[in-house]
Structure formats: structure tokens, C-alpha cells
Amino acid sequence: MENLWIGGDRVAPASGQYTALIDPATGQEWARVAAGNAADIDQAVQVAHQVKADWRRVNSRDRTQMLNRLALLIRDHLDSLATLESRNTGKPIREAREEVNLAADCFEYYAGAINKVGGQTIPVAAAGTSFTWREPVGVCGLIAPWNFPIAITAWKVAPALAMGNTVVLKPASQTPLTALRLAELAIAAGIPAGVLNVVPGSGSEAGEALVKHPLVRKVSFTGSTTIGTHVMQLAAEDIKRVTLELGGKSANLIFADADLDKAVLKAMWSVLGNAGQDCCARSRVLVERPIYAEFVERLTAAFQTLKIGQPLDEATEIGCLISAQHRDRVAEYIQLGQTEGATLVWGGGRPVSDELATGAYLVPAIFADVHPEMRIAQAEIFGPVVCVLPFETEAAAIAIANNSVYGLSGSIWTQDISRALRVARAIETGVLSINTGHSVHLEAPFGGVKRSGLGRELGLAVLEHYSELKSVFIAE
Ligand code: NAP
Ligand code: MG
């Protein structure tokens, strides 16, 4: 049984309640985790509040060394963390390993930033010296989703600690395990007890209590737009600082002059990474009319080669979804697409294999002849489903891409550099890649526009969101 992690120790939940974690590949219970509630959140926040002055005084060299040690410990535990993540989420072990490495990279990156980011002196119109201090915000309430548990936890925890904040993290109910391990490793790395606390629990109880707690000064939330809207409303009460990383329905624009061999494969992985449970999934593929039929044919051939299999199998490319309930929700969208009149070209059913019969598996689906107004072209399905839409002109492609309440990611495929830049400017999104599917880099800002979010994570940009600028003037 997994307990809460508060003040550097395992702590039993106030309610005495534990919830079952279901292995999505078998449908069987495989762990039990403490169900934290408002009392546990309060305890964790109080501890984080008590230690914040001491943590802030730790000098930059020592803090850098601690975060670097944590990165090394994560790498030392690569296999066990990746196995835990893969079993918990159903994602292929190969992807889980990449994500654990990404978490280690993230701690190293922010360890390196600690002694390079500070305030400024400013030439004000007065006799004296004006300067700024970059100060920690205080206790940060961090809320993570289930799709990339350890990676997104690191995206939040590393910059928060680097800037001298203390943390209470609420992982997603379904995926609390790697965050709990991370907090233990933080102690082994020398990060003082109470600086990083982890309270698993339901969003409606533990999550809300964290957002509402008066001693929490900043909330960073990654999850759905619906819950993000609610979190922002709750945070407004105390004017808490808020970062929101929310949903997406990103577009991949493929022009007739694109290198099709590359574009087809990358378009597939731009939507099927993590079985499509990815906020950045470019799940609307917009293809210029002259190559539309060929593209659909080639994409279908590529989907047919995918190795769907058990998460821990090294050969697996597509694992299972997070739960049977989520698989059923995705399957409803596949039904809906057919009702709306789109053509289901491939997939959408359960794999025919006894070995996979009990898990939350779904054969990745391709819809062609999709109209931009269809619900399958508007809703974030968050599963292995791609909509392929034809377009006639550059202007039409931009209009279809921007016909979304979201604006998180996107890709453009063309050999024409001027067009690539023109289209890149016109697309309403936070992140874009040109002639590649690879758009998220630790060192570059990441985040959304429109209903995809508020603020940025990653890069040096995020440090602004984990610090306050204090302005000081000394008269001469
Ligand atoms: P979710 O249902 O919104 O949950 C996200 C987190 O919020 C979970 O820890 C959840 O706890 C918690 N929560 C739920 N209700 C809450 C409340 N009333 N107050 C405070 N916290 C609450 O999202 P999800 O299903 O885990 O993740 C999928 C969504 O995340 C997708 O929309 C995806 O696009 C988005 N996402 C965005 C990014 C990005 O960077 N933009 C990255 C990854 C995912 P429970 O687990 O107990 O519900
Ligand atoms: Mg949810």
C-alpha cells in the first residue's frame, strides 16, 4: 500500500482510505494508494510553508548540486521507474524510458539555470539605483495529468525548486506512483524534507483543496480545459498565480510539395505517440487536394504495420489506453465519426488477439472525408484517432487549422520556405514544427493559446512563472 509523502516521510491518509489502481493491460487491481483529502493537503501545505524560508536560503551552488544529484538518481533508477510508469499507464516501455530520461534531463537543465537567472539594474529617471530581485513565489500547488506522469511532474517540480519554491504535488488519481518515487529520490539527493510533498487523491477533493488553500501562492495545472477553467476560477479568489496547460486539437498541414515519405511516418507518430493520449497530438491532418488520396493510402499502409502489444514488451509500438472506460469513450467517438458521415478507412476496433483481450487496447483509427465542422474534427478525442481533411488553397488550410477553440501544437510540411514561414505566422498556436513532428524541446517554451492554456512551461520562460520580481530603489 502506497502512502502519502509529506515532510520527507510516508504518511497514512487522514481518512484511512486507499484506492485501487487497475493495471490497464489486464483489468486487474495491482496496487493500492492512499486517498488524500483536504486534511492531508492542509498538512502538506503547512509543512511546505514551514520549510520555505530555509529552502530559499540554500545557496545557488548547493541547490544546483541537489537537483543534479536528483537527475543522476533518476537515471540510476531508470528501469524501475520506466517499468512502473509503463505498467501504471499502459504505455510502451520504450516510451516510458524516454520519458524518465526526459525527467532527468529536466532536473539537469533547471539545475544549470539556477545561478544564471536573476534580477536587473534599471536606469530609472531619479538619482539613485533601481534594481530587481527575482524571488520565489512561495508554496506551489502542482497538479499533474495521467498521460505523461513523471515527465510533466518534472516539468513543474524542477523549475519550481530551482527558483527556491516549495511544492505540494497532486498527481492524477490513476498515476501517482512515479511521483511518489521521485519525492523519495529527492530526499536521497539531499533536498530537505518538506520541500517536495506528494499527496495523491481525487481532483475534486485533494485537487480543489490544494487550489483553494490560502498558503498556496501559485498553481500550475496540466489537464483538461474543463477542469482548467474551474481551477482558474478557484485561484482567482486569492489572486493566485496560475499556469494552465490544457487540451488541444492540433493541425498538421501537408502541402503537395512535401517530402511524403517522411511526412506520412511523422504524421502518424505526431498523433499516435502515447496512443494519442497527448495534448500535442496533431490529430487533424490537413492534406492538399492533389496528394490527398495518395496520402490516405500511404498513411493506411503505415498504420497497418503498427505493432500493438503489451506495454512491457520491448517490441510494442502502441500499448493500451489508460483505462477501459477511456477506451470506451474513444470508441464512442469512432462511432460518432461514422454517424457524422466520415469514412473510417482503417482501425477503430479491438485487436484480435487473445493476449490482448482483457486490456484497454484499441486499433488506431483513420477517418477520411472529414469535414472541419464535424465533432470528430472539433473535440479532443485523446486517443489513437486521426482525422484526415482535404484542403484546396493555403488560405483554406490556415482557416481550417484555426477553426478550433484550441491552439497548442501544429506542424507544417512543405519544401517552400516562404510558405512555411507565412503559414507558421498565421496559425494560432503556442508551438509549431516545420518538416518534422518534433516540436517539444526542454530548452524552448511550451504552452498554448486560446483554450489550450495560459503561461508557458519549459525553457527559461517558465522561470518567470515560478518567481516574483521585487523592485528596490536606493536613493543617492
Ligand atoms: P483532468 O481530468 O483535467 O485532470 C488533470 C488533473 O486535475 C488530475 O490530477 C485530476 O485529478 C485533477 N483534477 C480533477 N478535478 C479537479 C478539480 N476540481 N480541482 C483540481 N484538480 C482537479 O485531465 P486528465 O484526464 O488527467 O488529462 C487529460 C487532459 O490533459 C487532456 O485534455 C490533455 O490535453 C491535457 N493535457 C495537457 C497538457 C499540456 O501541456 N497542455 C499535457 C498533458 C495533458 P483526478 O486524476 O483525480 O481526476
Ligand atoms: Mg480526468
Side-chain angles (χ1 to χ4, degrees):
M1 285 210 296
E2 296 283 341
N3 276 315
L4 315 169
W5 185 265
I6 299 175
D9 237 326
R10 295 192 180 84
V11 173
S15 65
Q17 304 284 309
Y18 290 77
T19 38
L21 291 186
I22 306 297
D23 180 341
T26 63
Q28 304 296 312
E29 177 180 327
W30 71 294
R32 293 185 80 73
V33 179
N37 65 14
D40 300 304
I41 288 286
D42 181 52
Q43 193 193 342
V45 172
Q46 297 289 353
V47 168
H49 182 68
Q50 276 154 24
V51 303
K52 81 175 186 181
D54 288 343
W55 177 239
R56 183 180 166 162
R57 274 196 296 272
V58 173
N59 74 48
S60 58
R61 181 202 54 220
D62 291 350
R63 208 184 301 150
T64 296
Q65 288 179 349
M66 290 175 201
L67 294 198
N68 274 326
R69 275 200 299 268
L70 178 52
L72 286 177
L73 285 169
I74 294 170
R75 294 196 202 285
D76 285 349
H77 292 78
L78 174 68
D79 283 334
S80 61
L81 286 167
T83 304
L84 204 58
E85 195 84 317
S86 172
R87 269 202 86 180
N88 199 173
T89 58
K91 68 176 71 211
I93 183 74
R94 289 194 301 190
E95 287 186 24
R97 241 182 248 126
E98 279 172 27
E99 290 163 27
V100 174
N101 270 322
L102 184 65
D105 294 346
C106 187
F107 279 97
E108 274 161 7
Y109 177 80
Y110 289 107
I114 290 173
N115 57 7
K116 298 174 192 69
V117 176
Q120 277 184 300
T121 54
I122 299 158
V124 294
T129 301
S130 169
F131 65 92
T132 53
W133 277 320
R134 192 169 281 283
E135 299 190 325
V137 184
V139 179
C140 296
L142 310 181
I143 300 181
W146 49 256
N147 59 342
F148 300 111
I150 194 167
I152 289 178
T153 293
W155 290 15
K156 295 182 188 302
V157 172
L161 299 189
M163 296 312 281
N165 303 283
T166 58
V167 164
V168 177
L169 170 80
K170 194 211 84 68
S173 294
Q174 286 158 300
T175 55
L177 300 178
T178 48
L180 288 165
R181 292 290 171 279
L182 184 75
E184 280 180 45
L185 294 178
I187 294 288
I191 295 171
V195 170
L196 171 57
N197 308 280
V198 179
V199 181
S202 84
S204 54
E205 192 158 355
E208 285 220 25
L210 184 57
V211 177
K212 289 203 281 209
H213 201 294
L215 292 177
V216 170
R217 303 297 279 276
K218 189 222 156 60
V219 173
S220 177
F221 171 89
T222 299
S224 60
T225 296
T226 310
I227 306 284
T229 308
H230 181 59
V231 163
M232 192 168 174
Q233 283 163 349
L234 293 177
E237 189 67 27
D238 296 321
I239 318 289
K240 289 189 171 85
R241 278 70 186 125
V242 193
T243 303
L244 301 172
E245 294 290 356
L246 310 176
K249 184 76 179 179
S250 299
N252 194 348
L253 281 65
I254 300 178
F255 289 90
D257 65 344
D259 174 343
L260 262 199
D261 291 335
K262 262 200 203 162
V264 167
L265 275 183
K266 297 285 184 181
M268 176 169 80
W269 286 113
S270 299
V271 65
L272 292 188
N274 203 33
Q277 302 162 116
D278 179 353
C279 54
C280 291
R282 271 128 295 163
S283 51
R284 295 183 296 149
V285 181
L286 280 43
V287 184
E288 201 168 4
R289 181 64 82 183
I291 58 163
Y292 183 78
E294 184 188 352
F295 183 89
V296 172
E297 203 174 293
R298 289 217 210 175
L299 188 69
T300 308
F303 268 52
Q304 287 168 345
T305 67
L306 288 167
K307 168 92 178 71
I308 305 170
Q310 291 182 346
L312 293 176
D313 184 339
E314 289 291 338
T316 293
E317 294 179 305
I318 302 285
C320 50
L321 304 197
I322 187 72
S323 65
Q325 294 90 310
H326 186 59
R327 188 261 326 274
D328 294 345
R329 262 197 304 273
V330 175
E332 277 170 31
Y333 276 112
I334 293 169
Q335 194 58 51
L336 174 71
Q338 291 167 278
T339 314
E340 286 184 303
T343 309
L344 181 62
V345 179
W346 174 257
R350 309 251 186 114
V352 277
S353 147
D354 287 347
E355 197 188 55
L356 307 181
T358 54
Y361 295 94
L362 195 61
V363 180
I366 301 175
F367 275 112
D369 310 317
V370 178
H371 188 274
E373 296 298 336
M374 287 179 182
R375 277 183 55 208
I376 55 164
Q378 291 290 328
E380 183 187 42
I381 298 175
F382 221 58
V385 181
V386 62
C387 294
V388 192
L389 297 84
F391 69 83
E392 309 294 337
T393 63
E394 183 182 306
I398 293 166
I400 298 169
N402 289 340
N403 178 11
S404 171
V405 295
Y406 299 113
L408 186 56
S409 185
S411 295
I412 300 166
W413 291 84
T414 176
Q415 306 286 348
D416 177 343
I417 183 75
S418 302
R419 172 158 62 195
L421 293 174
R422 214 165 43 231
V423 175
R425 273 198 209 285
I427 294 192
E428 298 166 346
T429 185
V431 180
L432 260 180
S433 62
I434 298 173
N435 293 333
T436 174
H438 188 186
S439 62
V440 180
H441 304 268
L442 198 49
E443 306 83 356
F446 171 79
V449 302
K450 304 198 303 195
R451 288 199 206 167
S452 286
L454 183 68
R456 290 293 179 268
E457 291 198 306
L458 299 183
L460 296 179
V462 73
L463 298 178
E464 230 170 87
H465 300 288
Y466 285 108
S467 56
E468 297 279 6
L469 279 181
K470 183 178 279 173
S471 185
V472 182
F473 177 69
I474 313 167
E476 276 169 23

